[in-house]
Amino acid sequence: MSPPWRFSGDHLRLAVRLTPNGGRDAIDGIEEDGDGETLLKARVTSVPEKGKANKALILLIARSLRIPKSSISLVSGETARKKILRIEGDPEDLVKKLEALLG
């Protein structure tokens, strides 16, 4: 299974499947969708209204990777469960943090 991230110059692109109203804020591992694409599974307690769940996702990822939330932006999937995040920083360092987070 390939990882849910892609190196892209000076940043990392991360594919995420978000579950809003998930009961808790957590990263639940990696899954493969029906198209064979690998996604990071995440859940947040926020509701999917007015971007609240997206903001909660960015905060969850930032806290998990110990980076500023300002270095994470939503590239696509504003109203969809599948999202692409752009994470600014050294891609190799970010991958090490993601791998440590996922075990």
Side-chain angles (χ1 to χ4, degrees), residues 57-71:
L57 171 64
I58 288 171
L59 185 60
L60 172 65
I61 299 294
R63 284 182 178 163
S64 298
L65 297 178
R66 294 185 204 99
I67 60 174
K69 64 182 180 182
S70 61
S71 64

Side-chain angles (χ1 to χ4, degrees), residues 69-82:
K69 64 182 180 182
S70 61
S71 64
I72 302 174
S73 59
L74 184 66
V75 174
S76 68
E78 190 169 321
T79 59
R81 282 183 180 258
K82 180 183 166 192

Side-chain angles (χ1 to χ4, degrees), residues 16-85:
V16 179
R17 180 181 174 278
L18 178 64
T19 302
N21 271 339
R24 60 189 168 94
D25 292 346
I27 293 174
D28 293 333
I30 297 176
E31 73 175 9
E32 198 170 291
D33 68 4
D35 299 328
E37 185 176 0
T38 307
L39 305 165
L40 181 75
K41 292 186 340 182
R43 66 177 63 223
V44 295
T45 57
S46 299
V47 294
E49 295 175 355
K50 300 179 184 175
K52 290 179 184 175
N54 292 336
K55 289 178 185 172
L57 171 64
I58 288 171
L59 185 60
L60 172 65
I61 299 294
R63 284 182 178 163
S64 298
L65 297 178
R66 294 185 204 99
I67 60 174
K69 64 182 180 182
S70 61
S71 64
I72 302 174
S73 59
L74 184 66
V75 174
S76 68
E78 190 169 321
T79 59
R81 282 183 180 258
K82 180 183 166 192
K83 303 180 183 300
I84 304 293
L85 299 177

